[in-house]
Amino acid sequence: MNRRNLLKSGLAIAGGSLLASNAAAGTVISEAVAPIPGPGKRKLGGKLEVSSIGLGVQNMSRTYQTTIPSRPQMIDIIRKAYDNGITLFDTAEAYGPFECEKILGEAVASFRNKIVIETKFGWDIDPETGRMRGGLNSKPEHIKTAIEGMLKRLRTDHIDLVYQHRVDPNVPIEDVAGTLKDLIQQGKILHYGLSEPGPETVRRAHAVHPVTAIQNEYSLLWRGPEQTIIPLCQELGIGFVCWSPLGVGFLTGAIDGNTGFAPGDIRGMETRFSRENIGKNMPLVELLKKWATQKNASPGQVSLAWLSAQKPWIVPIPGTTQMAHMLENVGASQIHFSNAELTQFNTELAAIKIEGERLPPFVLALSGVEAVAKK
């Protein structure tokens, strides 16, 4: 049972109406039913309420395969996600650049104040042209300019949660957090967070103004945050948002030893998917398929349910450009582990060793960075 076969077999989650067939009478009766229950609610930083599963829109301007999705279809997915209970939507100025913020802003305009929008700044992007100038830029004036652009593209007067996309090693985090604190006082942003930060930088930022959430890669394929960042969030009362919670498709069963990657697809540069390592990592997918059969779910749903079971303040934000996959991800909120099941799953998981790095070296070097000390 893999993700696609599950959907094809009719187990995909869908709201609306069902058709009941009366075989004896030879008639088809249309019966309106309640939608499948959507995700529950969780709080980031103890105060920002969001759906227990969010939606990432990173690939809605360009997929991993480098194709350009249909903009109307992307807008439909975002709106259908809201209809199915999703209230957390994740983007960044670097996605596009700018294009994903524009798509999201257009899609949510009619229900803007009923959702939480989170976006990110931190790359050195020309605010007029969107050209990536190379490197990072978290200088206070650049942050202020970036936020103004975000507000326009998102068609809003405030951003619910804004992250520093990567720690700028050349700018004291006290200056970054101080700038964001000022923007919070002005009402332009409501909360702030950090993405892939070094732990001491988190502590220093939190001392200036409370950090609401940390956003890091976290999944069954990459569990690095369990070592330091998740315990730190527990200690400081900070929420945790998981990007790439489905292992860029691997945990759905969509990638195997026969998978080829298009030029420009970052997964082709990740050694965990190399010909040498992917076969060694397939036992994780087999484990998920086994549990998917037991739970009458898909491997991706089991993956998301496992993340949600780790802490009540962890929220995965799977991204997709496929309506069926979005609906499937929403359905993961209905998959639960008993304590005994979770213990058994983790015991089986512990026997699997993942080989290879999660990102190319030049990208990985930007994670876990500590900001320069304040003079």
Side-chain angles (χ1 to χ4, degrees), residues 251-263:
L251 300 176
T252 69
I255 298 174
D256 60 26
N258 297 316
T259 301
F261 298 104

Side-chain angles (χ1 to χ4, degrees), residues 145-158:
T145 300
I147 295 296
E148 293 300 327
M150 291 172 175
L151 291 170
K152 291 177 182 177
R153 292 186 293 273
L154 291 166
R155 305 186 185 189
T156 186
D157 62 356
H158 71 279

Side-chain angles (χ1 to χ4, degrees), residues 239-267:
F240 188 92
V241 174
C242 320
W243 67 264
S244 200
L246 294 174
V248 288
F250 183 73
L251 300 176
T252 69
I255 298 174
D256 60 26
N258 297 316
T259 301
F261 298 104
D265 187 332
I266 194 172
R267 295 175 296 182

Side-chain angles (χ1 to χ4, degrees), residues 11 42 49 73 75 89 118 167 200 208 241 248 266 273 286 292 314 317 326 344 349:
L11 294 176
R42 294 194 164 192
E49 187 175 81
Q73 289 178 4
I75 289 172
F89 295 86
E118 57 177 31
V167 172
E200 290 309 310
V208 175
V241 174
V248 288
I266 194 172
F273 301 135
E286 297 307 315
I314 286 179
I317 49 168
M326 181 277 292
Q344 180 60 36
L349 179 64

Side-chain angles (χ1 to χ4, degrees), residues 42-293:
R42 294 194 164 192
K43 287 188 177 181
L44 301 175
K47 49 197 171 184
L48 181 60
E49 187 175 81
V50 299
S51 53
S52 60
I53 294 176
L55 175 65
V57 305
Q58 175 179 358
N59 288 338
M60 289 189 173
S61 66
R62 195 198 81 155
T63 68
Y64 285 123
Q65 295 85 359
T66 72
T67 57
I68 307 299
S70 161
R71 189 186 187 97
Q73 289 178 4
M74 299 305 99
I75 289 172
D76 285 347
I77 290 171
I78 292 169
R79 291 174 177 170
K80 181 63 72 171
Y82 172 72
D83 290 341
N84 282 269
I86 297 294
T87 62
L88 177 63
F89 295 86
D90 179 86
T91 186
E93 64 169 356
Y95 302 161
F98 298 168
E99 286 306 307
C100 287
E101 287 182 329
K102 292 177 181 178
I103 292 169
L104 182 59
E106 179 180 351
V108 305
S110 64
F111 49 87
R112 164 64 191 99
N113 291 325
K114 297 180 180 180
I115 63 169
V116 168
I117 291 176
E118 57 177 31
T119 188
K120 312 174 200 72
F121 69 88
W123 298 98
D124 192 5
I125 302 174
D126 187 309
E128 300 299 326
T129 67
R131 182 176 64 87
M132 301 286 284
R133 295 184 289 211
L136 300 166
N137 189 345
S138 281
K139 295 177 182 177
E141 289 306 313
H142 185 78
I143 294 174
K144 295 174 186 176
T145 300
I147 295 296
E148 293 300 327
M150 291 172 175
L151 291 170
K152 291 177 182 177
R153 292 186 293 273
L154 291 166
R155 305 186 185 189
T156 186
D157 62 356
H158 71 279
I159 299 167
D160 302 280
L161 174 57
V162 65
Y163 297 92
Q164 182 187 39
H165 209 154
R166 291 293 187 274
V167 172
D168 187 336
N170 299 313
V171 179
I173 197 63
E174 290 81 1
D175 293 350
V176 174
T179 301
L180 297 172
K181 180 178 180 180
D182 291 343
L183 290 167
I184 289 172
Q185 292 172 343
Q186 295 169 28
K188 293 184 178 182
I189 65 176
L190 305 185
H191 302 269
Y192 86 103
L194 305 171
S195 180
E196 299 279 336
E200 290 309 310
T201 295
V202 176
R203 291 185 183 278
R204 290 163 54 196
H206 197 68
V208 175
H209 188 84
V211 175
T212 296
I214 299 297
Q215 185 174 134
N216 274 47
E217 180 175 4
Y218 182 42
S219 72
L220 284 164
L221 186 61
W222 167 248
R223 297 172 59 189
E226 295 174 355
Q227 298 175 13
T228 302
I229 292 297
I230 289 178
L232 181 60
C233 288
Q234 175 97 46
E235 175 191 342
L236 299 180
I238 298 172
F240 188 92
V241 174
C242 320
W243 67 264
S244 200
L246 294 174
V248 288
F250 183 73
L251 300 176
T252 69
I255 298 174
D256 60 26
N258 297 316
T259 301
F261 298 104
D265 187 332
I266 194 172
R267 295 175 296 182
M269 296 180 277
E270 297 175 5
T271 55
R272 59 187 174 181
F273 301 135
S274 69
R275 296 293 182 190
E276 177 186 1
N277 290 327
I278 196 166
K280 299 175 183 177
N281 296 334
M282 287 304 296
L284 177 57
V285 176
E286 297 307 315
L287 174 65
L288 287 168
K289 288 180 178 180
K290 185 188 82 167
W291 278 84
T293 300

